[in-house]
Amino acid sequence: MVESAKKSKKMKWRWVIGAFTTVLLAIALASRSTPKISFRFGHVISKSSCHCPQEHRYSGIVEDCCCDYETVDHLNEEVLHPLLQELVKTPFFRYFKVKLWCNCPFWPDDGMCRLRDCSVCECPESEFPESFKKPYHHGLPSDDLKCQEGKPEATVDRTLDSKAFRGWTETDNPWTYDDETDNSEMTYVNLQLNPERYTGYTGPSARRIWDAVYSENCPKYPAEELCQEEKILYKLISGLHSSISIHIASDYLLDEATNLWGHNLDLLYDRVLRYPNRVQNLYFTFLFVLRAVTKATDYLEQAEYDTGNPIEDLKTQSLMRQLLHNPKLQAACPLPFDEARLWKGQRGPELKQKIQAQFKNISALMDCVGCEKCRLWGKLQVLGLGTALKILFSVNGEEHVHQPLELQRNEVIALMNLLNRLSESLKFVHEMGAAAEKLNEGTVISPTRLNSLIQRTWAQLLRHR
């Protein structure tokens, strides 16, 4: 009996030593393959990331576009991303008017958020520009960021005619659902205090939104019977979906107990990189929106970016001109997407109405998003995509030769913020894509996986004590 007990005790100790050795080995492997990771009991914290340029997995011309992948990445890194990052921080592009309290027109809203990060803090009237309160036409400090009570991370604080800009209008966008003229139900939100990131909004409610988008309003692709226009609608939505997933993965709550945020490369791979068409559709959507911006060059250059702060307003105008007339962009990718080849033939007008109605339904679905911050970014980016569709297809060709382009202030704000979101997503994939793929080839242990391994092993140790 005594000898049996000793043998049992020895076996337990061998198991403990083996488990402990496994933990140490995992840490050693992680420290060799993952840069600058420090270990504290129960947590793995990434101090910094090594952004090494990766070899191009995607090459050649982006499908249905007029630029290649390498050129897009080069232009984004050298020109577009730096300019857009500055532009969206200016007072004019910082504030977005949105209807946050809406009833879902399709089903009862039962979405629940797990984190405080879902909530939105509205801007007080004293914060956003005085000129925004007037339908058509004091000062706003460049760093006047309010709505900061509580934790910031948890609170939402072809070419047109030369005389393009005729003042901001309040006409509805035919591609989107919201009544943008209903100012009584609108509120201004400071986008700089409300980053698009992980909010904990998951489960059936979140899945139902995307299921409805794809199954009811967006034809499945690829399908031989689909025409070019229907494929493009699918690719736009898929590219937007990819971008949203990338922003969640790039700014993820790794540990709720310690409020540790960082990159979740496993999520990046699982939701986007493992499906090459999702990455391709991201590039397509970026070029589509970029084409809308370049087509509206005269309008956007002449637009009044008035916030009552002359210095900031001049800076905004200067940044827009640098973006619209950049020689590198004009030389390398003068026509990102050729919209003139669409809506041809007898079915053209009917097809446009059909796809317009489908996109409008997708826009309406944003009212069914159960997370307030997710609803904010969903509405902004869908309005931005709707604005791109409006520029490219509502004022285009002989059918609309005498119809000038008219945009709301909010549409331009949404359009440029969407282009910035897509630009950020391309940059993150370009910089971190190779690392995420290596993680999932089994050559590197990610911080999140290592943390999980350690916690499971420690739990086993405690049970066998």
Side-chain angles (χ1 to χ4, degrees), residues 346-413:
Q346 292 184 343
R347 286 193 63 217
E350 177 193 343
L351 197 55
K352 183 188 285 188
Q353 286 184 351
K354 174 189 172 184
I355 292 177
Q356 192 175 78
Q358 289 172 329
F359 189 84
K360 204 164 188 173
N361 276 341
I362 292 169
S363 172
L365 277 165
M366 296 303 103
D367 284 338
C368 303
V369 176
C371 160
E372 200 172 52
K373 190 179 285 186
C374 308
R375 190 183 309 134
L376 163 67
W377 283 106
K379 279 175 169 279
L380 180 144
Q381 292 179 96
V382 168
L383 176 60
L385 202 50
T387 304
L389 288 161
K390 176 179 175 179
I391 292 169
L392 294 181
F393 301 134
S394 295
V395 186
N396 181 51
E398 295 179 5
E399 183 187 350
H400 303 283
V401 71
H402 300 299
Q403 179 184 339
L405 175 64
E406 292 182 332
L407 295 176
Q408 305 168 45
R409 181 193 290 114
N410 220 36
E411 289 177 320
V412 173
I413 293 169

Side-chain angles (χ1 to χ4, degrees), residues 171-241:
T171 56
D172 276 338
N173 188 323
W175 292 84
T176 58
Y177 172 78
D178 263 351
D179 178 6
E180 298 290 337
T181 65
D182 189 4
N183 291 307
S184 63
E185 294 189 25
M186 298 286 196
T187 185
Y188 278 96
V189 174
N190 188 331
L191 299 172
Q192 291 298 301
L193 299 179
N194 302 286
E196 185 185 17
R197 69 200 305 200
Y198 173 78
T199 63
Y201 181 53
T202 58
S205 177
R207 281 196 301 272
R208 183 163 56 176
I209 300 295
W210 289 113
D211 286 346
V213 166
Y214 287 114
S215 65
E216 297 172 26
N217 300 289
C218 205
K220 292 181 180 178
Y221 174 80
E224 292 180 5
E225 66 272 14
L226 291 184
C227 62
Q228 185 72 4
E229 291 83 353
E230 289 171 318
K231 290 179 182 179
I232 282 173
L233 175 61
Y234 174 89
K235 290 166 74 169
L236 288 173
I237 298 304
S238 171
L240 178 59
H241 192 179

Side-chain angles (χ1 to χ4, degrees), residues 24-257:
L24 291 178
L25 181 60
I27 295 167
L29 285 170
S31 65
R32 288 177 59 189
S33 54
T34 308
K36 293 187 181 179
I37 291 181
S38 66
F39 174 74
R40 294 189 318 178
F41 176 74
H43 306 286
V44 177
I45 301 175
S46 177
K47 299 270 189 177
S48 65
S49 300
C50 176
H51 298 291
C52 303
Q54 68 178 75
E55 290 185 12
H56 260 276
R57 179 176 174 185
Y58 302 92
S59 60
I61 299 294
V62 179
E63 187 182 26
D64 294 320
C65 294
C66 309
C67 299
D68 59 75
Y69 289 95
E70 294 87 346
T71 299
V72 173
D73 282 328
H74 177 72
L75 286 174
N76 188 44
E77 184 178 356
E78 297 293 321
V79 178
L80 297 169
H81 186 264
L83 285 172
L84 288 166
Q85 287 287 291
E86 283 194 72
L87 189 67
V88 298
K89 292 173 185 173
T90 61
F92 184 89
F93 287 101
R94 183 190 301 163
Y95 297 98
F96 180 64
K97 187 176 70 171
V98 62
K99 191 188 298 183
L100 287 172
W101 301 277
C102 320
N103 293 321
C104 173
F106 303 108
W107 58 73
D109 180 16
D110 56 358
M112 295 294 292
C113 284
R114 198 173 60 82
L115 300 177
R116 292 173 298 174
D117 298 76
C118 290
S119 64
V120 175
C121 170
E122 304 156 36
C123 296
E125 284 201 15
S126 59
E127 181 184 353
F128 60 87
E130 189 69 27
S131 58
F132 281 29
K133 302 173 189 176
K134 301 172 184 176
Y136 299 104
H137 270 276
H138 269 318
L140 182 75
S142 61
D143 59 348
D144 186 15
L145 302 179
K146 301 200 179 161
C147 290
Q148 297 190 78
E149 284 132 16
K151 294 185 178 180
E153 71 274 6
T155 313
V156 169
D157 329 335
R158 249 153 227 216
T159 303
L160 306 173
D161 61 89
S162 58
K163 294 181 180 178
F165 183 76
R166 295 172 172 82
W168 299 116
T169 68
E170 287 199 344
T171 56
D172 276 338
N173 188 323
W175 292 84
T176 58
Y177 172 78
D178 263 351
D179 178 6
E180 298 290 337
T181 65
D182 189 4
N183 291 307
S184 63
E185 294 189 25
M186 298 286 196
T187 185
Y188 278 96
V189 174
N190 188 331
L191 299 172
Q192 291 298 301
L193 299 179
N194 302 286
E196 185 185 17
R197 69 200 305 200
Y198 173 78
T199 63
Y201 181 53
T202 58
S205 177
R207 281 196 301 272
R208 183 163 56 176
I209 300 295
W210 289 113
D211 286 346
V213 166
Y214 287 114
S215 65
E216 297 172 26
N217 300 289
C218 205
K220 292 181 180 178
Y221 174 80
E224 292 180 5
E225 66 272 14
L226 291 184
C227 62
Q228 185 72 4
E229 291 83 353
E230 289 171 318
K231 290 179 182 179
I232 282 173
L233 175 61
Y234 174 89
K235 290 166 74 169
L236 288 173
I237 298 304
S238 171
L240 178 59
H241 192 179
S242 296
S243 182
I244 292 169
S245 298
I246 291 164
H247 277 91
I248 293 170
S250 69
D251 200 0
Y252 194 86
L253 183 58
L254 299 172
D255 193 302
E256 193 172 349

